[in-house]
Amino acid sequence: MSFTLASLPYGYDALEPHIDTTTMQIHHGKHHQAYVDNLNKAIAGTDYEQKTLDQINAIAGSISAAVRNNGGGHWNHSFFWESLAPNSGGLPSGNLADAINTAFGSFDEFKAKFANAGATRFGSGWAWLIVKEGKLEICSTPNQDNPLMDIAETKGTPILGVDVWEHAYYLKYQNKRADYLSAIWNVVNWNKVAERYNAAK
Ligand code: MN
């Protein structure tokens, strides 16, 4: 069995002006496609062909770098595209909003802490909002690791993930990762994040 790249759930231009069309085309069509292709190459003829991405995440610490990085890359990007949507952003609602206020004090404090996690991740990686033992936490991972991996410093169930690799923002924001992390709130799909929260808590 080989992995395949799903189409985006919206158009490449749908997140304009916050994430530009060219970035989305290259990010999904080239970068994500490459993770899928390289994952398929790395697992060809091995037992990993029978495994799901969740199973690969769970044993990431004891598998080859090629399977860990490309399996993580495929999982993370699939999760990222669904974390975003056109005509979204705004404020979370319901019990997710309550949980954010309880964990971080306010929505603004949550955003500041999340942006800080993304800004301080040296080099390439991801910022995450996770559910850990029923509570919300913010963390970050290097490269294409994620909090579902056995080797993650902070483990939990991700409900929001933001890619902070330069390829996610460089064309529009150049070196200004903080500006990208500020703009991303305009396109976060809080309905999806709430759905994940309710499934995970
Ligand atoms: Mn990426």
Side-chain angles (χ1 to χ4, degrees):
M1 187 193 82
S2 59
F3 292 97
T4 55
L5 178 65
S7 301
L8 280 182
Y10 38 76
Y12 285 120
D13 62 351
L15 305 180
E16 289 271 9
H18 312 293
I19 303 182
D20 60 288
T21 306
T22 307
T23 294
M24 290 300 290
Q25 285 167 334
I26 297 171
H27 200 174
H28 178 266
K30 305 293 182 190
H31 289 281
H32 190 172
Q33 182 71 62
Y35 294 119
V36 173
D37 292 345
N38 290 326
L39 175 62
N40 286 330
K41 272 184 220 159
I43 64 173
T46 74
D47 291 347
Y48 297 117
E49 282 190 315
Q50 315 306 324
K51 295 198 185 296
T52 65
L53 285 180
D54 285 336
Q55 290 170 324
I56 287 173
N57 281 330
I59 55 169
S62 54
I63 61 179
S64 74
V67 177
R68 169 176 165 179
N69 291 335
N70 292 296
H74 184 24
W75 192 94
N76 292 352
H77 286 85
S78 302
F79 186 82
F80 183 51
W81 308 133
E82 293 201 329
S83 300
L84 308 177
N87 308 312
S88 57
L91 297 166
S93 60
N95 62 349
L96 173 61
D98 295 342
I100 286 174
N101 290 333
T102 301
F104 309 108
S106 67
F107 184 60
D108 283 345
E109 285 176 76
F110 156 72
K111 287 196 295 184
K113 198 172 175 200
F114 190 95
N116 186 58
T120 57
R121 167 51 61 188
F122 184 77
S124 299
W126 292 76
W128 304 96
L129 176 63
I130 63 170
V131 176
K132 184 182 179 181
E133 288 153 17
K135 292 187 178 140
L136 293 178
E137 280 193 34
I138 288 167
C139 62
S140 72
T141 55
N143 305 313
Q144 294 297 351
D145 287 357
N146 64 56
L148 294 170
M149 290 184 173
D150 57 345
I151 36 74
E153 214 170 280
T154 305
K155 289 189 254 310
T157 305
I159 62 171
L160 171 65
V162 173
D163 190 343
V164 298
W165 283 58
E166 282 187 345
H167 69 222
Y169 62 87
Y170 205 86
L171 293 181
K172 183 177 175 74
Y173 296 98
Q174 293 86 46
N175 58 312
K176 298 181 284 283
R177 188 189 286 187
D179 290 0
Y180 158 71
L181 284 168
S182 168
I184 200 86
W185 301 117
N186 294 299
V187 289
V188 168
N189 183 352
W190 287 113
N191 290 336
K192 187 67 182 176
V193 178
E195 181 189 309
R196 291 166 174 164
Y197 172 66
N198 285 306
K201 73 182 167 62

